[in-house]
Amino acid sequence: MDMRFSPEEEQFRLDVRDFLTRHLPQDIRLKVEHGQRLHKQDYVRWQDILRTKGWYAVNWPEAFGGPGWSPAQKYLFAQEYGALPCPPLVQFGVNMVGPVIYTYGNDEQKQRFLPRILANQDWWCQGYSEPGAGSDLASLKTSAVRDGDYYVVNGSKIWTTWAQWADWMFALVRTSHEARPQQGISFLLLDMKSPGITVRPIRLLDGDAEVNEVFFDNVRVPVSQRVGDEGVGWSYGKFLLEHERFVISGVARSRRLLGQLETLARERTDGTDGTGNSLWASQAIRLRFADLQTQLRVLELTELRFLSAMNAGQSPGVAASILKIRGTEIEQAISELALECMALDVAAFDEAFLDGQHGTSVTADGAAAAGPAYFNLRKVSIWGGSNEIQRNVLAKQVLGL
């Protein structure tokens, strides 16, 4: 297993770092650094910058308009991207449904949807979870009944991120009850402007409403918007989730956040012992940082091990769940440590500051966003398949238990 990068790959890393540093808009950079909420126009503007460079659909093959990068180039791009305060890429179109369409879609679907995804013109959302079907997606109940050249869709989805901004949804729906639950699921593409679709926001613990309930009342969806064969949607959905889990570890981003927090701890006094010492004077605090740094290094080496296998033509498959589990747990642990370091300064949410309104006072060390970040990140060990379920998958399919 060779984990070294070639001179050409190291030069690619430097080129990526230079471009991202020079082209990331200052107002968006400050929002990310301060933990303020990003709005649709922020994401679209930044993704247009990447698109102009040809670095938006970085995971796409060259045949469909991607850069045709090697696994090593994709990895290095992700590392440099996370090391800077760049907005997270909106994954639903470019990294989730896009690969499903160019892998399993027909020619008409490829010609219709892929150019608009590549051009950053359509905003997608994911219709998987339901009130009674989260990590156990096989129990989903949203139905799609065939009526000539249409499916009539009834039911609901929940925790649908940014559905309020979406033009399209890719959804798993039940088209049959006659076989095993997994065999009665199909993969549909729904126009969010269709009559009968209602979007209702859900306000989260951090005060934001980034997720929604989506209701379908006799929504007519053309059969031409079904990807692949009827009843095979479960397989397409698993393919999509493997793509999602491989890019979800966030090592570089977590390392950047931990570095910012270390700077704060070195400068900030705890105010409890009257000595004026910084938080860094506490051995307990230093040990917490050392433990997280070690965990991040181990996760990074695991990523590199998978990367080495991919360079040899081997897919990580379900083993990518390791990255999802550990990456989200470390992310939560960093947010918890930030909460402890900033103590009572995080007690009150400043909604005006979080929404990016000017003239709002905020502590220089970012305490205004630490509380909302902590509460918001409780979700990451659940989305993409809960970590408990992922451990079961690993036990059965990787360890053979």
Side-chain angles (χ1 to χ4, degrees):
M1 180 173 59
D2 189 353
M3 294 184 178
R4 295 170 298 179
F5 295 103
S6 69
E8 293 78 13
E9 288 166 343
E10 290 294 352
Q11 182 58 53
F12 173 80
R13 182 203 295 271
L14 294 177
D15 292 342
V16 170
R17 185 182 305 169
D18 176 68
F19 178 84
L20 296 178
T21 301
R22 287 189 295 108
H23 289 87
L24 178 61
Q26 181 67 4
D27 61 322
I28 295 178
R29 173 192 292 268
L30 291 175
K31 280 188 174 184
V32 175
E33 286 181 339
H34 293 159
Q36 292 175 305
R37 293 168 185 155
L38 295 169
H39 301 286
K40 183 176 182 179
Q41 60 267 28
D42 298 318
Y43 291 107
V44 171
R45 179 156 56 104
W46 172 236
Q47 290 172 180
D48 269 341
I49 293 172
L50 296 175
R51 175 188 57 80
T52 302
K53 179 67 172 175
W55 287 0
Y56 177 45
V58 297
N59 293 313
W60 287 27
E62 201 168 1
F64 295 110
W69 285 349
S70 67
Q73 287 175 304
K74 296 175 187 177
Y75 174 81
L76 291 171
F77 177 83
Q79 295 309 299
E80 294 304 318
Y81 194 97
L84 292 169
C86 300
L89 278 178
V90 180
Q91 305 285 341
F92 302 112
V94 72
N95 282 336
M96 296 174 75
V97 74
V100 172
I101 292 173
Y102 67 62
T103 303
Y104 299 106
N106 58 40
D107 288 341
E108 189 276 332
Q109 290 168 344
K110 293 174 186 177
Q111 294 167 10
R112 178 182 180 186
F113 294 107
L114 294 182
R116 293 187 62 83
I117 294 174
L118 189 64
N120 192 34
Q121 291 177 321
D122 285 337
W123 189 284
W124 288 78
C125 63
Q126 179 185 42
Y128 275 25
S129 294
E130 298 182 4
S135 294
D136 180 19
L137 274 176
S139 62
L140 66 85
K141 291 183 171 54
T142 294
S143 66
V145 178
R146 186 74 177 260
D147 181 19
D149 292 334
Y150 290 84
Y151 287 105
V152 180
V153 179
N154 284 281
S156 66
K157 298 292 180 178
I158 198 167
W159 314 123
T160 311
T161 303
W162 293 321
Q164 75 273 28
W165 296 337
D167 304 297
W168 287 86
M169 171 190 283
F170 57 93
L172 292 180
V173 297
R174 184 159 300 286
T175 48
S176 173
H177 294 273
E178 296 178 2
R180 292 176 59 243
Q182 291 88 342
Q183 295 173 338
I185 294 173
S186 297
F187 194 104
L188 291 189
L189 310 177
L190 289 80
D191 185 340
M192 291 294 285
K193 298 184 294 294
S194 302
I197 295 180
T198 301
V199 177
R200 182 183 300 165
I202 302 173
R203 190 161 296 278
L204 299 179
L205 287 171
D206 66 345
D208 199 5
E210 68 183 71
V211 298
N212 303 266
E213 292 178 283
V214 182
F215 299 92
F216 310 100
D217 182 11
N218 291 322
V219 178
R220 297 182 67 82
V221 180
V223 173
S224 61
Q225 290 169 204
R226 184 194 71 220
V227 175
D229 295 329
E230 185 172 282
V232 190
W234 181 258
S235 297
Y236 308 146
K238 288 197 300 181
F239 168 86
L240 182 152
L241 287 174
E242 287 179 8
H243 271 256
E244 178 186 11
R245 286 164 191 160
F246 190 72
V247 299
I248 208 170
S249 62
V251 170
R253 178 179 182 275
S254 290
R255 183 171 284 133
R256 172 172 58 83
L257 293 175
L258 189 62
Q260 291 176 355
L261 190 56
E262 179 178 333
T263 299
L264 178 147
R266 289 178 180 274
E267 297 173 351
R268 187 181 180 91
T269 59
D270 61 15
T272 59
D273 59 5
T275 64
N277 289 334
S278 71
L279 288 171
W280 201 251
S282 165
Q283 184 182 39
I285 289 290
R286 295 198 304 274
L287 287 173
R288 293 277 296 281
F289 276 89
D291 178 56
L292 286 169
Q293 289 163 351
T294 301
Q295 291 185 48
L296 279 171
R297 180 55 176 160
V298 172
L299 184 58
E300 181 181 41
L301 291 173
T302 304
E303 278 190 326
L304 289 171
R305 179 163 55 87
F306 286 153
L307 178 62
S308 179
M310 291 172 69
N311 282 331
Q314 304 169 14
S315 171
V318 297
S321 293
I322 297 171
L323 304 180
K324 191 272 178 180
I325 293 168
R326 294 301 298 130
T328 55
E329 289 176 346
I330 291 171
E331 193 174 14
Q332 289 178 334
I334 293 172
S335 72
E336 183 176 346
L337 181 57
L339 208 65
E340 294 177 18
C341 287
M342 296 179 191
L344 295 179
D345 286 347
V346 303
F349 287 6
D350 188 337
E351 287 286 341
F353 165 74
L354 292 173
D355 280 329
Q357 298 177 20
H358 298 291
T360 305
S361 62
V362 56
T363 56
D365 58 22
Y374 169 83
F375 287 117
N376 184 274
L377 289 173
R378 298 310 93 195
K379 70 189 179 190
V380 297
S381 54
I382 299 172
W383 70 6
S386 73
N387 287 2
E388 291 81 1
I389 295 295
Q390 296 312 304
R391 285 189 168 89
N392 288 340
V393 171
L394 289 170
K396 293 178 181 178
Q397 299 190 34
V398 178
L399 301 179
L401 299 179

